[in-house]
Amino acid sequence: MNSNIAASIRTKRLASLIPMLSMLIPEDAILSEPEQLKAYECDAFTTMRQIPLLTVLPDTIEQVQHIMRCCHALDIPVVARGAGTGLTAGSMPVENGVLLGMSKFNKIHDINLHNRTAWIDPGVRNQAVSDAAAPYNLYFAPDPSSQLACSVGGNVAENAGGVHCLKYGLTVHNILELDVITIEGERITIGGQALDAAGYDLMAVMTGSEGLLGIIVGIRVKLLAKPASARVLLAAFATIEDAGNTIAEIIGAGIIPAGLEMIDQKGIQAIEALMHAGYPVDAAAVIICELDGSVEEVEDELTSVITILNRLNASDIQISTNEAESKRIWAARKAAFPALACLAPDNYVMDGTIPRRALAQVWTRINQLADEYQLLVVNVFHAGDGNMHPSILFDSSDEDQHKRANDLGTRILELCVHVGGTISGEHGIGLEKINEMCLQFTGAEISQFHALKNAFDDKSLLNPGKQIPTLARCTEFHAMHIHNGEMPFPHLERF
């Protein structure tokens, strides 16, 4: 858009919006100065940035409703933001739109011990829920690597998982009820306190919708009892193939670990340099396996897993004997992405999910693609459920590196689709993967996504331009995205 036109639109919108907002929103909760707005220009996907028209920081549900009504009346877009830890530009502002910061919604209102639930604000940190439930021997299962900082509202928006989602599920499997404000300012309840609710499963629709359908202002989460026993194993492998086969063997034996992770040599070395956790730096790969349950169940599964590890040439097997040792192993794993910051200025974290049978094949191919694009890629997998996080390391100030990183990311997501997987496991789509949605879905499917969006937000004011590509965008993407004279996945419908 022409800068003069954009400035004119901005001025007019501010002149109309600020007086309306000020009828209910305190002056200090409406941020309009450039230095204030700069802090909200991006989420953790820092290579995409946009200054918002305003940032508004409400602290009551009534204020959120008022903001929605004002923006709906003036046709002004709204982007909700939690803790800003997202990795797909999902909470990046849109030009001349409002950034709705939910950080003041940070209270845990109730812990119900009989039903094992908690009613919380969307801005409550993930780890804070488990901390509050710990005195009752309960915890909240989803545990993204950013759990110290990320908000549960953001977890719902992206349907976040974490290292324990293999056994305990994603966010959608660990919530019962949502309090939601629509774009018109209406307050609705989705789900309920019981395990099931009548009607369509709108809980599943809202979870993972990335702020396109409504603003979450309350969440009822499930709390689980802490298992009587938990043991963590770390095992080293000389080859990627043995590590991949071990994952398949563990699951094939009917064992469902609480967590089952895999890290390549470059990741091991980066983590060990930062955390000094005793990871074997000469290994081609390590597997981390956590078993939990009753004491008898854990010991029985531990024996079975050790047998599998030995049969598939594992070495340097470490087995935790207490909670402190388990925390040491997991703390190092969760420090993987901070550790990679020591290797390059920027990290493009992928989030494809593949069938477990394809782990070794995809891992090998990713390393070949990394060589082709002359970029360092570190592989960290939630291997038990096939959720991969290849990290492409580059310098965004180098335009050529930046382009190669983006192109490599697309090739990796193509590969995931090709082997029967999907382009996202827990990070969402946002703007980062919106083009790759055109690889995953047909025109008819994308049209249905738009129909669902329109049912909630017919003016397309909530987080516009994210998650769901237009059919025109897909046509343009496919026209540009040809390898060796051939379209990827020629069996898919084109736009």
Side-chain angles (χ1 to χ4, degrees), residues 126 140 142 144 152 155-161 169-175 207:
N126 178 286
F140 181 51
V152 180
N155 296 166
V156 174
E158 306 295 347
N159 196 17
L170 301 166
T171 301
V172 70
H173 305 112
N174 289 278
I175 58 176
T207 307

Side-chain angles (χ1 to χ4, degrees), residues 29 74 128 137 146 217 255 303 309 316 321 355 427 461:
L74 297 172
N137 206 37
S146 58
V217 293
I255 299 168
T303 300
L309 293 176
D316 197 7
T321 58
H427 291 177
L461 296 177

Side-chain angles (χ1 to χ4, degrees), residues 154-390:
N155 296 166
V156 174
E158 306 295 347
N159 196 17
V163 298
H164 289 101
C165 69
L166 172 62
K167 186 171 185 177
Y168 296 108
L170 301 166
T171 301
V172 70
H173 305 112
N174 289 278
I175 58 176
L176 287 171
E177 184 179 0
L178 295 175
D179 203 359
V180 178
I181 307 301
T182 70
I183 186 60
E184 295 91 352
E186 181 183 0
R187 184 175 178 180
I188 61 175
T189 298
I190 294 174
Q193 297 187 44
L195 291 176
D196 196 8
Y200 293 116
D201 187 3
L202 295 180
M203 183 71 71
V205 170
M206 190 64 63
T207 307
S209 62
E210 302 188 28
L212 272 72
L213 306 181
I215 306 298
I216 297 166
V217 293
I219 309 165
R220 188 173 304 281
V221 302
K222 297 178 185 178
L223 300 175
L224 302 181
K226 291 184 178 178
S229 175
R231 303 286 295 276
V232 179
L233 300 88
L234 185 146
F237 293 86
T239 69
I240 292 172
E241 289 74 20
D242 281 345
N245 289 335
T246 298
I247 297 294
E249 287 273 343
I250 291 172
I251 300 298
I255 299 168
I256 306 298
L260 190 54
E261 303 285 298
M262 195 154 66
I263 310 169
D264 73 5
Q265 186 176 66
K266 294 184 287 289
I268 297 165
Q269 292 171 349
I271 290 169
E272 188 60 20
L274 178 68
M275 298 297 291
H276 309 292
Y279 280 22
V281 295
D282 294 331
V286 296
I287 285 177
I288 301 170
C289 177
E290 178 174 324
L291 305 168
D292 69 2
S294 67
V295 174
E296 296 80 6
E297 177 187 11
V298 169
E299 293 307 311
D300 183 56
E301 290 184 346
L302 185 65
T303 300
S304 298
V305 170
I306 292 173
T307 299
I308 293 170
L309 293 176
N310 288 330
R311 187 168 70 247
L312 287 163
N313 308 311
S315 63
D316 197 7
I317 300 173
Q318 303 177 30
I319 305 172
S320 68
T321 58
N322 54 54
E323 187 174 0
E325 291 179 359
S326 297
K327 285 183 175 180
R328 169 183 61 82
I329 294 172
W330 277 125
R333 159 61 186 92
K334 291 195 172 187
F337 298 129
L340 299 185
C342 302
L343 303 182
D346 295 287
N347 178 2
Y348 184 9
V349 184
M350 309 306 296
D351 178 42
T353 299
I354 61 174
R356 284 184 291 264
R357 59 173 168 72
L359 278 171
Q361 170 196 348
V362 170
W363 195 338
T364 300
R365 180 59 181 148
I366 287 173
N367 288 335
Q368 292 170 350
L369 289 170
D371 291 340
E372 180 181 332
Y373 284 85
Q374 298 181 344
L375 291 167
L376 177 62
V377 176
V378 178
N379 291 289
V380 180
F381 290 7
H382 295 317
D385 62 328
N387 186 202
M388 313 164 22
H389 293 312

Side-chain angles (χ1 to χ4, degrees), residues 127 162 188 214 250 262 287 317 436 449 454 456 469 484:
Q127 181 63 53
I188 61 175
I250 291 172
M262 195 154 66
I287 285 177
I317 300 173
E436 286 74 20
F449 293 153
N454 291 339
F456 284 84
N484 300 319

Side-chain angles (χ1 to χ4, degrees), residues 7 29 32 56 116 129 132 141 188 236 270 287 292 301 382 396 407 440 447 453 465 495:
S32 60
V56 188
R116 289 185 178 173
V129 181
I188 61 175
I287 285 177
D292 69 2
E301 290 184 346
H382 295 317
S396 62
D407 291 346
Q440 180 92 49
S447 293
K453 163 71 169 168
F495 303 91

Side-chain angles (χ1 to χ4, degrees), residues 63 81 101 114 151 200 225 287 336 401 491:
Q63 288 178 3
R81 175 190 168 105
H114 297 293
S151 63
Y200 293 116
I287 285 177
Q401 278 195 44
H491 61 285

